[in-house]
Amino acid sequence: MTNADLLAGGARLPLVEDFYTIQGEGFHTGKPAYFIRLGGCDVGCAWCDAKNTWNPRLYPPTEVSTIVGRAVACAAQSIVITGGEPLLYPLDLLTGELHRHGLKIFLETSGSHPFSGEFDWVCLSPKRKQPPLDEAFAHADELKVIIGDVGDFEWAEQNAERVGSKCLLYLQPEWSVSDEIMPQIVGYAKSHPRWSISIQSHKYMRIP
Ligand code: SF4
């Protein structure tokens, strides 16, 4: 049986972990949210802090009904679907079930695979190694560009040119060089004030 058969068109998904925490990054920073982390990513960012998610075969195909049941059993009102790269999978069933329970759904994606599912908020985080598909930019409510060196500011601007006029723009330091690059990000945001700064506040709060 192939991996696609195992996942039954999105009725099952390779679940790495799911947990209730506080959103640490971007526009929804500080809000309680239930995270659903799916396995599988073919983008290959050198600095990825979730390399354990890359191989989806390591994670059990889990029934959407099981995932949703756990999410609705806690007090969360918002769900973050993340990975890995969650758009590797058809997400219509998952998001349909979560919406049926009145939950808000936020997506974290590199935009490198076709869109599926219905979301209340899409955070597009483009990656140089596998840039977003053209269709991804129109979905973005928030563009979050990871800055590891000064060359990434130009990459950020290239992506900002492609999102809608209402899309929020964030620069976020790559964690391993955060101390070194932060002064340059601060300077860039001050001289290009359509950008805001996002930090990985959950790492300072010492929560997942
Ligand atoms: S897209 Fe995300 S999960 Fe995939 S390699 Fe890059 S940082 Fe890691």
Side-chain angles (χ1 to χ4, degrees):
M1 191 178 277
T2 67
N3 208 37
D5 292 335
L6 284 170
L7 299 177
R12 292 187 284 271
L13 294 164
L15 182 67
V16 177
E17 56 183 350
D18 51 340
F19 50 95
Y20 191 27
T21 187
I22 305 294
Q23 169 64 284
E25 306 178 4
F27 177 71
H28 292 291
T29 292
K31 295 180 185 168
Y34 193 87
F35 275 60
I36 296 172
R37 187 184 306 283
L38 302 181
C41 187
D42 56 1
V43 177
C45 305
W47 41 260
C48 178
D49 60 4
K51 287 181 177 164
N52 62 305
T53 67
W54 288 5
N55 182 355
R57 294 174 192 280
L58 297 178
Y59 301 102
T62 305
E63 300 286 345
V64 160
S65 57
T66 301
I67 299 171
V68 172
R70 288 212 289 261
V72 301
C74 81
Q77 296 182 346
S78 303
I79 307 294
V80 176
I81 300 178
T82 187
E85 173 45 70
L87 288 179
L88 282 169
Y89 310 103
L91 297 177
D92 306 272
L93 278 172
L94 176 63
T95 59
E97 280 302 296
L98 291 168
H99 272 149
R100 200 167 62 77
H101 288 278
L103 296 164
K104 296 284 184 202
I105 311 174
F106 308 153
L107 174 69
E108 299 270 339
T109 180
S110 66
S112 57
H113 289 271
F115 255 76
S116 61
E118 294 287 332
F119 302 94
D120 299 285
W121 190 266
V122 173
C123 175
L124 175 64
S125 187
K127 304 298 186 321
R128 284 178 184 272
K129 289 201 75 172
Q130 199 167 316
L133 302 180
D134 289 343
E135 64 172 295
F137 294 97
H139 289 278
D141 297 292
E142 169 184 1
L143 179 73
K144 183 175 70 187
V145 184
I146 310 304
I147 304 295
D149 60 54
V150 293
D152 290 332
F153 291 124
E154 186 181 342
W155 167 245
E157 296 292 356
Q158 288 168 8
N159 283 278
E161 290 309 311
R162 302 184 65 188
V163 295
S165 58
K166 292 185 178 162
C167 181
L168 305 180
L169 305 179
Y170 289 96
L171 303 169
Q172 180 170 295
E174 195 270 287
W175 178 254
S176 70
V177 296
S178 184
D179 288 348
E180 295 83 353
I181 199 71
M182 187 59 93
Q184 287 151 89
I185 296 178
V186 170
Y188 194 89
K190 287 167 73 177
S191 58
H192 302 79
R194 67 177 178 153
W195 292 94
S196 299
I197 296 176
S198 168
I199 58 170
Q200 292 180 294
S201 66
H202 53 293
K203 294 187 177 178
Y204 296 97
M205 288 187 269
R206 300 180 196 277
I207 56 175

